[in-house]
Amino acid sequence: MHSQHSTAGADRAPRVFDVIIAGCGPTGAMLAAELRLHDVSVLVLEKETEPASFVRIVGLHIRSLELMAMRGLLERVLPRGRRRPAGGFFAAIPKPAPEDLDSAYAYLLGIPQPVIERLLEEHALELGAQVRRGRPVTGLEQDEEGVTVELADGERLRSRYLVGCDGARSTVRGLLGVGFPGEPSRTDTLMGEMRVGVPPEEIAAKVAEISVSRFWLRPFGEGVYSVLVPAAGVSDRAEPPTLEDFKRQLRAIAGTDFGVHSPRWMSRFGDATRLAERYRTGRVLLAGDAAHIHPPTGGQGLNLGVQDAFNLGWKLAAQIRGWAPETLLDTYHAERHPVAEAVLENTRAQMELTSTEPGPQAVRRLLTELMDFDQVNRHLIEKITAIGIRYDFGAGPDLLGRRLRDIELGQGHLYGLLHSGRGLLLDRTERLTAGGWSDRVDHLADPTAELDVPCLLLRPDGHVAWIGDDQQDLNDHLTRWFGKPAG
Ligand SMILES: Cc1cc2nc3c(=O)[nH]c(=O)nc-3n(C[C@H](O)[C@H](O)[C@H](O)COP(=O)(O)OP(=O)(O)OC[C@H]3O[C@@H](n4cnc5c(N)ncnc54)[C@H](O)[C@@H]3O)c2cc1C
C-alpha cells in the first residue's frame, strides 16, 4: 500500500489516506493540523453538515494557551476571546491564583466553543487537511496494513490509521468494542442562552441571594443571558429541554422565571464519568471525549481533548513517516490515560464539593480555608490548567517529563521556535549536536537561555525528554524518542 499526497489522481485511483479522523470537533481539528505539520495525508470525516452554531463559552486554560503559542495560533485566538484570571475554577471556589504561576500565559481565555473549533479547523485546512462534512463514519475493519472505513452512504475509504475523535457517544469506540467503564449520570443540568424580561439589576440581586449549586444567569450582552439551572424536575431525559422546562426550574429555585423567552439554544448535560479502557486498538486510536467524559466542572474537557491531540499527532506522524521507535505510539495511551484518569478524579471531587448537602458544604468550607495556603491553591490550579503534568520518563530531575514553560532566548522566545512541530535540542554548552537526527530535531546553541540546566531535549509537544551534557547519553535519548539517526 502507498499513500498519495496529491489530490491529482483522486478520481482515477482509490485514494489511501495516511490518517482518517472521525469527527471535526476541537480534538479532531487539532489532530489533523498536528499531522499535517509532518506532511501526513489527512481526511477528516464529520457527521454534521454545518459547524455547530450554539454559543457555549468554554475556557482555554494555561496549557492550551501554551499549545496555541507553540503553533503560532495565539495571536489569532486572543482577539476572539476574553481574558480572565486563571484562578477560581476548582469547584468554582473563588480564590485568586498565586501571582507567580509558572507560565508566560497565566490566564484563562473565555471563548465561544464554535469560534475555537472554527479557528482550529481553518488552521488544519490551511496546512492541507481535507474535511468532508455530512459524512458520518458507520463501520470499520482493520487488517495488518490499514483500516477500511465505511460511511453512512456505503462508501468505503482506506487509511493506514483511523482516529476516533467523534465525541462522547463515539461510533468508533463502539465499533472497536472498547469498554467505557465509569459512572452513569446522576444529576442533570439545563443550560441555554435566552432573552430575559426583567432588568439586569433585578436579576443580579436575585442571583446573589441564592446559594444553589449549578445555578446562574450570566449576561452575554444585548439582553441575552446564559442560564444554568438544575434539571431535577425534568423527567424525560431523551427529549431536548423546552423553554417551559427552564421556566419551571427557575421558578422552583428563584421563585421567578425572570421572564425568559426567545432561546438561542437549550441543552442538558449530566455528570456521567467514564474512561475508555484503551486508547489504541491496533491501527485505530481514540482521543478527546471519545476516550473520556466527565462533568464540565472546572472547564477541562475541550482542553484535555486538544492536549490528547497534541500528544498523539507527532507520534502518529512518526509512525507513518517510518522513523518512530517501536514503542512510541503506545506511549500515547501510557501518558494520556493517566492524565484523563486524574481529570475524572478531580471532577468527581468537584461535583461532591458543589453539592448543597451539609457534609459536602462543610468539606468545601474546609478546602476554601486550606486554599489560603499557597501550595494547596497552586496544586489545584496546576491540576485544572494542566501545567502540573509530569509524564513518567524514568528517574531524573523534576523537570524531566514536564512541559517547559515559554522562556526568553537570545533570539526571541522559545515557543516561537516550535511552530513546525519538530523536536528541539536547547543547548547552553554549545558543544553538543543533534547530528543524524537533524531532519527531525532542531538544534539551538544559546548560552544565554533562561535555564538552570546545561542542555535539554524537547519533544514536539514541548515536554522535556532529556536533561544533561553528555553527547553519548543524548544520542541514546534521541534514539529513544526520535528513532535511528538518518544515513
Ligand atoms: C455545558 C458544557 C460546558 C463545557 N465547558 C467547557 C469548558 O469551559 N472548557 C472545556 O475545556 N470543555 C468544556 N466542555 C467540554 C467540551 O465541550 C468537550 O469536552 C469538547 O467538545 C470535546 O471535544 P471533542 O472534539 O473531543 O468532541 P466533540 O466536540 O463532541 O466533537 C466530536 C465531533 O464528532 C462528530 N461525530 C460524531 N459521531 C461521528 C461519526 N460517527 N462520524 C463522524 N463524525 C462524528 C460530531 O458531530 C462532532 O463534531 C463543556 C461541555 C459542556 C456540556
Side-chain angles (χ1 to χ4, degrees):
M1 188 196 320
H2 71 286
S3 66
Q4 299 176 349
H5 291 271
S6 89
T7 50
D11 296 344
R12 295 189 295 276
R15 174 88 195 247
V16 180
F17 293 89
D18 289 328
V19 180
I20 290 181
I21 297 172
C24 196
T27 307
M30 187 64 169
L31 180 62
E34 284 299 293
L35 290 165
R36 284 301 304 152
L37 287 177
H38 305 278
D39 205 24
V40 162
S41 67
V42 181
L43 173 67
V44 187
L45 298 168
E46 166 55 49
K47 179 175 74 167
E48 301 296 334
T49 47
E50 297 292 329
S53 59
F54 61 81
V55 193
R56 179 163 76 218
I57 305 287
V58 293
L60 289 185
H61 285 297
I62 297 173
R63 185 56 185 152
S64 299
L65 295 170
E66 290 184 342
L67 303 194
M68 301 296 151
M70 285 166 66
R71 295 298 183 256
L73 291 170
L74 197 61
E75 295 73 22
R76 285 202 220 174
V77 174
L78 282 183
R80 311 299 301 276
R82 184 177 294 180
R83 276 196 209 203
R84 291 175 53 194
F89 286 90
F90 192 86
I93 294 174
K95 286 277 174 201
E99 275 180 10
D100 56 346
L101 278 181
D102 180 35
S103 175
Y105 311 94
Y107 50 87
L108 173 117
L109 192 78
I111 190 166
Q113 182 157 343
V115 171
I116 185 68
E117 285 186 9
R118 201 159 52 242
L119 283 167
L120 291 174
E121 184 179 341
E122 273 166 23
H123 175 54
L125 289 169
E126 281 163 17
L127 289 169
Q130 288 187 42
V131 178
R132 291 191 203 157
R133 293 196 160 270
R135 311 304 306 276
V137 169
T138 53
L140 71 90
E141 248 171 54
Q142 58 173 319
D143 52 55
E144 279 183 11
E145 304 205 311
V147 188
T148 302
V149 176
E150 193 168 316
L151 306 187
D153 60 5
E155 186 182 354
R156 290 159 80 85
L157 296 165
R158 214 33 209 168
S159 62
R160 295 171 70 186
Y161 286 86
L162 168 70
V163 188
C165 300
D166 49 348
R169 295 190 179 85
S170 172
T171 304
V172 173
R173 190 187 64 233
L175 290 167
L176 290 172
V178 168
F180 203 38
E183 302 96 64
S185 188
R186 287 165 308 170
T187 52
D188 263 19
T189 306
L190 302 181
M191 189 177 197
E193 243 180 73
M194 51 205 70
R195 294 190 172 277
V196 291
V198 295
E201 314 78 62
E202 209 175 293
I203 297 177
K206 193 82 198 167
V207 169
E209 235 168 61
I210 298 166
S211 70
V212 167
S213 53
R214 297 177 293 117
F215 168 72
W216 73 50
L217 275 92
R218 289 183 183 159
F220 260 167
E222 296 170 5
V224 176
Y225 274 68
S226 159
V227 178
L228 188 82
V229 64
V234 182
S235 54
D236 191 353
R237 298 187 62 203
E239 290 296 316
T242 62
L243 186 62
E244 197 38 55
D245 292 330
F246 274 82
K247 286 183 165 181
R248 196 178 46 247
Q249 294 305 107
L250 286 170
R251 282 197 296 266
I253 282 178
T256 163
D257 61 18
F258 302 97
V260 290
H261 65 98
S262 314
R264 278 193 194 165
W265 61 270
M266 296 180 291
S267 78
R268 175 201 313 247
F269 64 86
D271 63 346
T273 305
R274 296 181 179 280
L275 179 58
E277 268 167 356
R278 54 179 190 278
Y279 282 15
R280 180 182 178 195
T281 307
R283 290 177 172 271
V284 186
L285 299 112
L286 298 171
D289 276 16
H292 37 70
I293 54 166
H294 52 80
T297 33
Q300 299 167 91
L302 182 148
N303 289 269
L304 186 60
V306 164
Q307 289 160 28
D308 284 347
F310 215 72
N311 184 284
L312 175 59
W314 70 278
K315 295 173 181 173
L316 188 52
Q319 186 81 10
I320 284 158
R321 301 238 65 89
W323 57 256
E326 212 174 86
T327 54
L328 185 67
L329 195 51
D330 286 325
T331 65
Y332 168 59
H333 173 104
E335 292 170 7
R336 296 302 298 172
H337 194 268
V339 167
E341 216 160 18
V343 169
L344 265 56
E345 275 295 281
N346 85 46
T347 55
R348 284 186 183 105
Q350 290 186 73
M351 286 305 282
E352 286 301 310
L353 291 165
T354 56
S355 157
T356 43
E357 294 294 314
Q361 282 292 306
V363 179
R364 186 182 176 92
R365 282 191 293 275
L366 185 63
L367 183 65
T368 308
E369 274 171 41
L370 289 173
M371 284 171 75
D372 284 339
F373 293 98
D374 181 81
Q375 278 193 339
V376 175
N377 194 15
R378 191 178 297 274
H379 178 75
L380 294 175
I381 285 181
E382 287 182 357
K383 256 185 198 300
I384 296 278
T385 61
I387 59 172
I389 290 170
R390 183 174 188 231
Y391 297 140
D392 182 6
F393 295 170
D398 182 64
L399 189 57
L400 184 69
R402 293 189 186 275
R403 106 292 182 224
L404 186 62
R405 59 167 284 153
D406 199 2
I407 58 173
E408 287 305 316
L409 301 170
Q411 47 172 281
H413 62 114
L414 173 69
Y415 285 8
L417 300 180
L418 303 177
H419 293 185
S420 63
R422 292 154 55 85
L424 179 73
L425 182 65
L426 189 49
D427 176 14
R428 293 179 67 227
T429 71
E430 295 184 287
R431 55 176 177 74
L432 296 174
T433 166
W437 291 269
S438 59
D439 58 336
R440 286 152 260 172
V441 179
D442 295 327
H443 179 199
L444 181 75
D446 182 352
T448 67
E450 262 188 335
L451 279 179
D452 49 13
V453 295
C455 181
L456 55 76
L457 177 64
L458 278 186
R459 305 193 315 185
D461 61 356
H463 279 257
V464 177
W466 173 80
I467 297 170
D469 59 3
D470 177 71
Q471 184 68 53
Q472 187 50 51
D473 193 32
L474 169 60
N475 290 351
D476 293 345
H477 283 81
L478 282 162
T479 309
R480 173 179 172 189
W481 293 109
F482 295 96
K484 296 194 180 76

